[in-house]
């Protein structure tokens, strides 16, 4: 490929986030994939574990070695489990690479909070401070060419924050009234095998898990608190839905005024003006997860109940795209000064 | 079959509720099915439309004629669409039949409220008054041998009310804080064909519909208000989940005291003592819909968040059983003075 | 429970076959479950792993000890992985128990063939000889009160043999022309965790596996050869279908005469006369797996192609019921001289 | 868009084939969509019926008018139901448009055979003769710039013919021994509503339909006969699998020599050399439908059974892509002299 393309490497290529990075980056006009990396399967072709990539990715998987990565690549995506990036990223930065991290290890600014929710050791404080939280439509301005470490937001926080922040920022909802009922497809649990991902246990089943205990809660509260200018505490429930991809956040809040659905639509459309990947649905229409499947969109709809003076906000994403690989590439685009949609202009797959 | 069995007829046999009544009643030791009725398919065998009943139900479908039904049967289940029962039930009662109605037409005590939410004409007031609302574990005492018309609760209200009433009745939760995030499998939409039930549209999809507009809302509020002694207004969202059976109600309310999960478990276990079909899960465990699939159970679990002082209550049922046919038979059992579990002692189908 | 019920124990209670045995045996009027056994989870309640059994099975799981089982039980079902039964069953027989084995270890009469296909050591020859192959509708006559060891057929063989044997026995099809295209739901792979049962890999996917290599092939050929009076060799393909339960065998054979679909229907109806659990569909109608879901039925249909002189035979079962637990109980019924349908009279769950 | 792009119109935009054409054509560098046409919804935006296209396709739907289409477009895709194209295409050709037809109306060369299988009137003979059957990897050479009407192959024929023709062409299999066991996801049945596509009937179900009666049979036999040089008659079974996309053809044939799997792999790799969209799997590996989901690939694998001297060939496609919209665009590419992969270079969506 052309010598002046940006050279990228992917660590954690044998997870669902990793192969989704490959799917999009293969069609990205400014980028060349120079290394596909897996600690567990180095040396064999990725198609051994992912036959859908037969004849598409033929280079064998590389091992994890910061120096070797830096010798080939300009930017590295770390799609590793939480805890792994915390240890690996310092070496990658040290070697001169720019890092876009999908693991969750660098999202919380307070290491103590990280350790409370993630149950293992936090990265060093200076790294937590240095990391830019790349929720593109909200604080993409902080992502610049000089950013060395971008922390890609979690799947639940992406759907949730994009759905709440405009109303919260405008002072239209009571920050202490927020209840988030979130639902995810099973791919969010990764490719690891357990009863949690066993077909016989999940199919034809709807499960609730980690009520008020999910590690994405502090990430959501950190951003909401910054916007509200006060400590925001949310009620947060996560459900496992028998489907592969998709997140829906159904969010409830008390309205601080007599706002209509049309008012909310207008507020959000203005807030997200020019940002292609957020689609605000017109009043009375709500999005479904399949309407963003395989794409980088986040679709948002509203219902105002005049009887209870509450608003219900519905936000959907594809957890593997806008909730992981897609937004990571969007961050790369912003960091490089490219149009944020570069390489991401795929329509949803329907049906 | 034995002459001293109670003779039952089923109107609406070619809907999902109807065939589920057949499945359970075939195994009910005190009951004989004497007529299986369908307005649209009279004369042909039910196995034409439901081949799973081949060689099981061989009598041809009867037409809808109150006098003919009364000539054969003692009790009739009306598993008809809303609006149909309103017109049919007066004739059935007139003909001397006892009626257990699954349609929803007789659940609301106020005809005006019915017409507002159901968008068609309400039954006469005296029938609405006469109808006993058969939410078995809550007001089964009102169901007696002299009951002529039992109105079988809706699927969402069953899961929701069984989950909320003990805490509301004890004064532990704020009646005005209740938010209900409900999810249903597709069988709840019936066997009618539309894009709403089209496989290509529903599979791998999570949809939200009728936010704050579902006709089960006044049914829920009617019961909650009676318990609370004040007008209760709820926020109520319904979702369509890509599975056939199952309802989960995830409910949020503000706690009026420092109650723990263990407190709630104890409260609910006492409230439902002796009622086999409500299973209260121990603290820290929440039910999944598949754990009640094919059975008449309603399983309930709790999470208390000390940070927000809210409780999350999770209640699951099989919408076709406890949310329709199973509870209807439970009402028959109670009405006849039999053990309420008679004919309903099937364990959940797993996996 | 009543003292004169037959006392049964279940080894392997924490697999899908084991919990299905429990579901049916709990409703069996002649049987008492005296011990629910699991090597891996002894001491804890089964509801820890299977919450759907909460408040239904409360006795803690027992360990595997032949003497202790014999002290409590008359009959034991061994729903263990292949290889485990081979070692355990001799002790159970020695202790005086009657054994109905679901593992597959005692189905092949020739130990060498067993070792070739199962890849581990065969049970002793005298046990292989003693074991009665309990394909109820075919050779149920061999199951008697004096049977000590019944080998319950495999899921694929059950669907396949019930579909082929009447035509083969009548000499209507060419024994050397048989091609079997079999499809199974994922529960057939058991509750073990692997990529083979991972939701993300199986959902929205159709996979083929073990072509001509499945260990059920010699079991099928053994029975077909006995019927045909010559060595029968089949082409046999297995597919994994994204559903939990159900097997469909689509079978192809060359007709040895000008037989019509009506001829086949009549032949099969006569062959299975009086056997409730085999339902022969009328000409032009074919069964679907959901039409037997949760039940002990095997439904069979036919298509004759005059152009190619081949017949296509379609046979469906619920792999967990007729393909495992249900047929095992049917064998118990026959062995005890009870009606073969005792405790098994559940209609299919639909939808 | 650029004035020198080829201008295309899509008739039948509100079916699944139509929206898939849109998904791919939006990313096609040489093409501009100038008209999106629907007889039933003209005047409204396509996002009314397909919200996933919100903000992506904003032009309102046009009506069906050959002159108006010709005024705007160079090429038209007709993704219409069978029978509709037969009537519409003559006008489109008359108006000077090039037509790529997805309906099936122009695939059979013999109008009498068409009428026997499709049960309605065939197009005129001269059009049937003129139409080029666009099975790209087999007879793409016949598609040229002068082609006015390309008949895009059916979904089952595409998977089946690509899987059979190299072996048949080489004389390695007996043409009269071919048995095809085909399985399809539900999207193949289109967006029309019926019990055939009702979620409650299809989910957790495996159905067989139209055994030896599917209208794709003569299409398959026409091509196989041409290759074999004799009339080939196949046994052909179609199944409906509970998934949205994907076709698997499992094919059986008697080998005419001692060919190994490795021989077949080599034969097929040579046959398809340079054709990116056919991926021949190495010996011992078979494709799964999800491995081509959302992409234009057809993956093929083999199993040879030395015991029966039969080969089992497994071929998978995404029915909406390679079985419809993708191959139609591939035909456009070939017709225009572009690289056949232009605009189709999307990797499969996994998971």
């Amino acid at each position: 490929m052309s010598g002046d393309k940006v050279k990228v490497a992917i660590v954690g290529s044998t997870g669902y986030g990793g192969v989704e990075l490959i799917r999009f980056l293969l069609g990205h006009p400014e980028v060349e994939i120079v290394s596909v990396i897996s600690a567990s399967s180095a040396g064999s072709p990725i198609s051994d574990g992912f036959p859908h990539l037969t004849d598409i990715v033929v280079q064998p998987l590389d091992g994890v070695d910061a120096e070797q990565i830096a010798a080939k690549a300009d930017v590295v995506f770390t799609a590793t489990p939480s805890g792994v990036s915390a240890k690996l990223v310092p070496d990658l930065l040290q070697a001169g690479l720019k890092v876009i991290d999908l693991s969750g290890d660098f999202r919380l600014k307070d290491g103590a909070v990280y350790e409370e929710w993630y149950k293992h050791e936090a990265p060093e404080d200076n790294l937590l401070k240095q990391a830019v939280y790349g929720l593109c439509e909200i604080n993409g301005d902080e992502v610049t060419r000089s950013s060395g470490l971008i922390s890609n937001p979690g799947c639940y926080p992406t759907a949730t924050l994009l759905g709440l922040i405009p109303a919260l920022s405008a002072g239209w909802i009571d920050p202490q009234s927020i209840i988030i009922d979130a639902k995810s497809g099973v791919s969010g649990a990764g490719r690891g095998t357990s009863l949690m991902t066993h077909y016989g246990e999940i199919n034809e089943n709807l499960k609730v898990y980690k009520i008020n205990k999910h590690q994405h809660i502090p990430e959501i509260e950190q951003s909401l608190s910054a916007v509200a200018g006060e400590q925001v505490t949310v009620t947060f429930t996560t459900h496992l839905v028998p489907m592969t991809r998709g997140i829906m956040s159904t969010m409830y809040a008390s309205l601080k005024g007599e706002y209509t659905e049309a008012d909310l639509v207008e507020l959000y459309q203005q807030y997200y003006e020019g940002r292609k990947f957020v689609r605000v649905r017109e009043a009375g229409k709500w999005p479904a997860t399949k309407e963003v499947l395989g794409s980088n969109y986040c679709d948002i709809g509203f219902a105002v109940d005049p009887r209870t003076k509450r608003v219900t906000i519905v936000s959907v994403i594809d957890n593997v795209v806008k909730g992981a690989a897609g937004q990571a590439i969007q961050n790369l685009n912003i960091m490089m000064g490219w149009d944020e949609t570069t390489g991401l202009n795929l329509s949803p797959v329907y049906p």
Side-chain angles (χ1 to χ4, degrees), chain A residues 95-157:
Chain A
L97 286 153
K98 287 177 180 295
V99 177
I100 301 176
D101 179 59
L102 288 81
S103 77
D105 283 350
F106 299 91
R107 296 180 196 147
L108 300 178
K109 291 300 168 193
D110 183 337
V113 173
Y114 176 90
E115 293 181 354
E116 179 190 344
W117 291 83
Y118 282 79
K119 315 290 183 203
H120 44 238
E121 201 184 349
E124 287 188 14
D125 270 2
N126 68 324
L127 281 182
L128 294 181
K129 253 174 223 149
Q130 177 191 335
V132 178
Y133 184 67
L135 186 61
C136 302
E137 285 81 6
I138 302 297
N139 55 351
D141 290 350
E142 297 174 29
V143 178
T144 67
R145 267 188 189 272
S146 66
S147 304
L149 171 58
I150 295 173
S151 180
N152 205 54
C155 50
Y156 285 123

Side-chain angles (χ1 to χ4, degrees), chain A residues 19 21 30-31 69 81 90 96 102 142 160 182 219 262 264 299 307 348:
Chain A
V19 291
L21 281 165
E30 309 291 346
V31 156
I69 299 170
L102 288 81
E142 297 174 29
T160 300
E219 182 181 341
L264 285 150
D299 286 11
R307 305 189 318 146

